[in-house]
Amino acid sequence: MKRKEALELLKEHVKTDRVFRHSLAVEAAMIAYAKKFGKDPERWGLIGLLHDIDFEKYPEVHPDKAPELLNEAGFDNEFIDTILSHGSNSSVPRDLMERKCLHAVDEMASFIIAVALMRPTKLEGLQAKSVKKKMKDKAFAKAVNRQEMISSMEEMGMEFAEHIDIIVAGLVAHEKLVLEDGYLLL
């Protein structure tokens, strides 16, 4: 499946701007990491784009309903298992780098977007130290599990600053593509 078709599939199941933009942000982060690790950016991008496909309709069992939606669209079992692996109660091990990466960028991409929205220059010039400072502020994005973001990044073998820099660079690069598609990332 190509990105354009995946966007249409996502729009069938995701109606809120918040979840749609989150999906675009995770797509951007996954593409950036695929390039870093020499993996297929198209595949990793689709994983990021579609990882929350069932979230709005089935929040209480997310991501367990994703296989039904993704099987119908023709995705393979490994792709679907990677989507399943990002759930907090998943029985699918995070034994592949794409699974570790999805888990590590899921909340962090949205956290970085939240930080960027507080800045006059948005993503431009955003550095890890600014993100780190906001992570220490427990009142900022208080629903975010900071320990989970750190431990998932460490499971990938990444240092905090490099992790943030990769995601920010991915978001900046992706912002142009998203605009061309008629969407906003921020």
Side-chain angles (χ1 to χ4, degrees):
M1 179 176 284
K2 297 292 182 198
R3 182 175 185 273
K4 186 174 181 174
E5 297 166 302
L7 277 169
E8 292 304 315
L9 178 64
L10 184 66
K11 288 192 297 187
E12 282 179 41
H13 299 282
V14 171
K15 303 300 180 192
T16 64
D17 192 51
R18 182 183 65 82
V19 176
F20 189 78
R21 285 185 186 198
H22 167 71
S23 298
L24 294 171
V26 175
E27 175 191 30
M30 289 294 288
I31 290 169
Y33 264 111
K35 291 176 180 176
K36 175 184 175 34
F37 294 132
K39 301 296 182 180
D40 180 0
E42 191 171 316
R43 175 185 167 79
W44 281 41
L46 291 180
I47 288 168
L49 187 64
L50 298 173
H51 81 286
D52 278 347
I53 193 165
D54 66 339
F55 181 76
E56 286 185 5
K57 290 182 182 177
Y58 309 102
E60 65 285 343
V61 295
H62 167 73
D64 295 337
K65 288 288 189 176
E68 293 173 33
L69 306 174
L70 297 171
N71 269 324
E72 291 173 12
F75 287 97
D76 63 66
N77 289 337
E78 188 173 290
F79 185 98
I80 293 168
D81 281 349
T82 296
I83 300 290
L84 287 171
S85 76
H86 90 280
S88 56
N89 297 320
S90 177
S91 62
V92 177
R94 294 185 190 113
D95 54 352
L96 300 174
M97 187 53 82
E98 68 186 25
R99 294 175 185 174
K100 291 176 186 178
C101 187
L102 178 61
H103 183 61
V105 303
D106 187 15
E107 280 194 89
M108 187 60 85
S110 286
F111 190 85
I112 289 170
I113 295 284
V115 172
L117 288 170
M118 303 294 293
R119 299 166 35 100
T121 59
K122 305 293 185 231
L123 288 168
E124 183 183 328
L126 178 59
Q127 296 180 2
K129 66 181 182 180
S130 297
V131 176
K132 192 172 214 169
K133 183 178 178 182
K134 284 296 188 183
M135 284 188 66
K136 290 178 182 177
D137 179 357
K138 300 299 181 203
F140 180 79
K142 59 185 170 188
V144 171
N145 184 335
R146 285 147 169 82
Q147 184 53 46
E148 186 72 18
M149 287 195 304
I150 296 298
S151 64
S152 63
M153 171 200 72
E154 290 171 348
E155 285 174 22
M156 287 180 61
M158 298 302 297
E159 296 293 327
F160 186 82
E162 185 180 15
H163 184 56
I164 300 307
D165 290 346
I166 289 168
I167 295 172
V168 169
L171 291 167
V172 168
H174 205 57
E175 209 168 14
K176 295 173 188 127
L177 174 66
V178 169
L179 280 172
E180 287 173 11
D181 290 336
Y183 306 115
L184 294 174
L185 190 56
L186 297 177

